[in-house]
Amino acid sequence: MESLSGTTWDVVISGTGLSQSLLALALSRSGKKVLHVDRNDYYGGNNAAFSLQEAENWVTAVNKESYTSSFRDAQIYTSTGANASSLPDACDSRLGFSRAYSLSLSPELIYTRSPLLPTLTSSKIYRQLEFLAVGSWWIFEKADGVEPVSDVLVGNISRIPGSREDVFTDDTIDLKSKRALTRFLRLAASAEDQQSVLEKWGGRPFPEFLSSKFGIPLKLQAALLALTLSPHLPHDVPTSYALPRVHRHLTSIGVFGPGFSSVIPKWGGLAEIAQVACRAGAVGGGVYVLGRAIESIASESQFDQGIKSAEHDEPVKILKVGLQGGEEVRTHWIAGCRYDLVSNRQVPNQSSTSYMTRTVFIISSSLSSLFPIPAEGSPPPAGAIVVFPTGSLSHTNLPPSTIPPVYLLVHAHETGECPAGQCVIYGSVFLPEPQGAEVIRRAAQALLACIPEAPKADVLWSLEYLQRISPYADGLEFEDPVNVLDFPDRGFDLAFEDETLADVRNKWQRISGQLDGFMQFEDRESGAYDDDNDE
């Protein structure tokens, strides 16, 4: 291919995460000259999915240069508890071959009412994707007065009622509680009825709202909190946050079929969408280069008459971008995440940065009992969610009431993330290391202990790491020109945030100069997306 420096690009995009990949696709199909680079040698950025060998390589890289990543403190462990980095031959023989796995760094649900799904349809790339239903939501309840067995909590899981039909058919809920829960679900399903309620209750804790207004008992409060996917302690969850998220869950049920409200992309989650978008962007004329970081950004003396400063309505200067390896390119725009734009920035202030602990478990069993058909006519689910609410787990240095909820996203082998007869559990909690990893391990052990399996299910392999969920305290080492657009860090939400797509659309409008037609493409010849245009 021609030298990259021989072209003045309309935009240089750094990073191949989902946001950047969708923006590159939208701009390439809008006639813009797109150069899409990534410091990594793989696609997906923070949304990447890895084989076992790729995960080991990632652990080595992220621990060596954690300041250039959203991740740090990554470790891989085997079924014996050995650190796989120091004992490479200690892996369980029951593991499949490396590429039999596609493990996501940032797994997320996509609610069926999310605007992402119709956007993928209008862009035509949905034909290269497959989505699977997330079925049951479960909640763990610790057995009263029963001591842990071999340090494993004793308890059971029960399905969370996600609709009024579920409430009526649940024999464990008494009649008074059913009536209270039905009244709440009726309110939560109606966006119009919520407005006056939020004016009075929006700033008050969600559990207080449920108790005072509806008389919902504590046990059912925990189940409703679980539907919000909130990472925080119950008293720190405002009603203004929780009610719209319960509404999101309820109104998404039945959009594509009965019994489920969300889906997951097959073959590695959001990483698969990002890769398909990159392939389609290459067909549209975008140029893709992996293993090339942006190392410097400077303004040239020449002004770009086509881009105006928002403050003064004056033209801004064309940008000169230094790439890893010494090559320099010229561009009208730059877009990317802050940590991905310049490699020689200062290390972020760790004391003001928030992290959550994540763990990926490969389980020796399919845990098929977690995936019942949720309703007549429902598709077979390939995902399930198990929630350990505040108070259900303990830690040596943390009282149970101070431990935030732990979420376990369980993916069946039908997702393509593991071989048949196994499953993958993605655990997360809003706690730092080492407490967070220990709490997640206890949750996973308790889950496996309360599911009857023969032979007993156990952990074959696990990956623990921290993920940053707040922006860098220190900005870039240059004053941002108006034509440098940065994507914010992701939040904790375990579901795709619709604001992400709105942000991509806003950047597309600014760069393309168009208001309408975002990700609305005409049909191309069948198989066109199979060709890449990369280096």
Side-chain angles (χ1 to χ4, degrees):
M1 63 177 291
E2 296 181 4
S3 169
L4 300 177
S5 59
T7 299
T8 298
W9 302 92
D10 290 309
V11 60
V12 174
I13 299 175
S14 183
T16 54
L18 180 61
S19 296
Q20 298 99 312
S21 299
L22 292 177
L23 178 62
L25 169 59
L27 290 170
S28 70
R29 295 295 295 273
S30 298
K32 298 299 180 182
K33 289 179 288 187
V34 178
L35 173 60
H36 197 171
V37 301
D38 196 316
R39 70 172 60 251
N40 302 307
D41 59 0
Y42 54 83
Y43 288 96
N46 293 348
N47 306 118
F50 296 136
S51 67
L52 297 184
Q53 183 59 59
E54 289 167 339
E56 290 185 17
N57 296 341
W58 176 80
V59 166
T60 300
V62 80
N63 289 336
K64 185 182 301 182
E65 300 180 0
S66 61
Y67 68 92
T68 63
S69 170
S70 285
F71 306 97
R72 65 183 182 92
D73 299 348
Q75 298 289 338
I76 291 176
Y77 295 93
T78 68
S79 58
T80 63
N83 188 319
S85 300
S86 58
L87 294 173
D89 297 326
C91 290
D92 196 299
S93 61
R94 292 171 291 175
L95 283 172
F97 61 93
S98 174
R99 301 201 67 82
Y101 299 89
S102 183
L103 307 173
S104 175
L105 286 179
S106 304
E108 295 181 10
L109 316 176
I110 303 174
Y111 276 97
T112 57
R113 286 197 178 275
S114 170
L116 177 62
L117 296 177
T119 298
L120 298 176
T121 300
S122 66
S123 69
K124 307 299 187 291
I125 67 171
Y126 75 96
R127 294 168 180 163
Q128 315 298 316
L129 298 165
E130 184 176 349
F131 294 92
L132 303 170
V134 176
S136 299
W137 291 54
W138 306 85
I139 191 165
F140 179 83
E141 184 177 9
K142 183 173 59 175
D144 291 333
V146 179
E147 293 297 319
V149 177
S150 300
D151 202 35
V152 177
L153 290 175
V154 178
N156 60 79
I157 57 172
S158 57
R159 285 188 62 192
I160 297 175
S163 66
R164 280 179 283 182
E165 291 76 12
D166 289 343
V167 173
F168 288 130
T169 57
D170 194 328
D171 295 333
T172 66
I173 304 176
D174 62 72
L175 183 59
K176 181 179 178 181
S177 296
K178 283 185 177 181
R179 290 172 177 169
L181 194 53
T182 300
R183 287 192 298 117
F184 167 77
L185 294 176
R186 186 182 300 117
L187 168 70
S190 172
E192 294 180 1
D193 294 344
Q194 293 178 26
Q195 297 306 312
S196 59
V197 172
L198 289 176
E199 290 178 5
K200 178 180 178 180
W201 292 92
R204 295 162 75 173
F206 189 51
E208 179 186 343
F209 169 68
L210 295 175
S211 178
S212 301
K213 187 168 179 62
F214 295 97
I216 294 176
L218 288 176
K219 180 179 178 180
L220 292 178
Q221 289 180 26
L224 294 174
L225 274 165
L227 296 181
T228 72
L229 295 174
S230 170
H232 302 293
L233 296 170
H235 57 75
D236 291 331
V237 181
T239 302
S240 59
Y241 173 96
L243 199 54
R245 281 160 176 76
V246 177
H247 173 81
R248 173 181 66 179
H249 179 88
L250 295 175
T251 57
S252 294
I253 297 174
V255 172
F256 294 126
F260 69 98
S261 62
S262 59
V263 295
I264 46 179
K266 192 173 181 179
W267 309 116
L270 298 183
E272 183 66 8
I273 301 179
Q275 290 199 55
V276 168
C278 287
R279 291 198 295 269
V283 172
V287 175
Y288 289 76
V289 184
L290 298 180
R292 291 280 194 97
I294 290 181
E295 295 192 327
S296 65
I297 300 174
S299 297
E300 287 193 347
S301 58
Q302 179 181 351
F303 283 90
D304 187 334
Q305 299 297 327
I307 303 176
K308 303 290 185 178
S309 165
E311 291 79 10
H312 307 292
D313 195 30
E314 297 175 350
V316 298
K317 295 179 180 179
I318 291 176
L319 297 172
K320 183 168 60 177
V321 179
L323 298 177
Q324 182 180 350
E327 191 167 13
E328 287 188 346
V329 299
R330 301 170 76 247
T331 182
H332 301 290
W333 292 89
I334 296 174
C337 293
R338 285 250 161 182
Y339 66 84
D340 209 21
L341 283 178
V342 179
S343 63
N344 60 344
R345 66 193 168 285
Q346 296 177 352
V347 177
N349 184 347
Q350 302 291 349
S351 63
S352 61
T353 302
S354 297
Y355 288 88
M356 65 177 171
T357 300
R358 287 187 177 273
T359 304
V360 182
F361 300 98
I362 297 175
I363 306 300
S364 64
S365 165
S366 62
L367 302 184
S368 58
S369 61
L370 293 178
F371 305 99
I373 302 294
E376 184 178 354
S378 298
I385 300 172
V386 184
V387 184
F388 286 72
T390 294
S392 62
L393 293 168
S394 60
H395 184 276
T396 305
N397 301 320
L398 297 172
S401 61
T402 66
I403 298 177
V406 173
Y407 294 91
L408 302 181
L409 278 58
V410 189
H411 289 193
H413 78 269
E414 285 84 358
T415 61
E417 297 173 18
C418 64
Q422 299 178 10
C423 68
V424 179
I425 296 179
Y426 297 98
S428 57
V429 67
F430 193 25
L431 281 174
E433 285 273 24
Q435 297 100 323
E438 176 61 28
V439 166
I440 295 175
R441 281 196 296 268
R442 291 178 67 83
Q445 290 168 353
L447 173 63
L448 298 183
C450 69
I451 296 178
E453 292 282 338
K456 179 181 175 295
D458 55 9
V459 175
L460 302 180
W461 181 98
S462 64
L463 166 64
E464 298 175 355
Y465 53 97
L466 292 180
Q467 182 173 13
R468 191 183 70 247
I469 60 171
S470 64
Y472 277 105
D474 302 307
L476 298 175
E477 293 184 344
F478 59 90
E479 184 177 351
D480 291 359
V482 68
N483 44 346
V484 175
L485 307 178
D486 64 277
F487 290 97
D489 275 351
R490 73 181 304 280
F492 183 91
D493 205 335
L494 297 176
F496 176 79
E497 297 173 329
D498 295 341
E499 294 81 1
T500 300
L501 188 63
D503 186 45
V504 173
R505 181 186 181 116
N506 177 266
K507 288 176 170 56
W508 171 81
Q509 290 175 330
R510 291 189 62 182
I511 297 172
S512 69
Q514 302 176 36
L515 295 178
D516 301 316
F518 174 66
M519 295 287 280
Q520 297 178 12
F521 307 148
E522 297 296 326
D523 275 316
R524 293 201 168 199
E525 292 183 8
S526 177
Y529 292 159
D530 293 339
D531 297 321
D532 286 336
N533 182 22
D534 54 11
E535 185 176 278

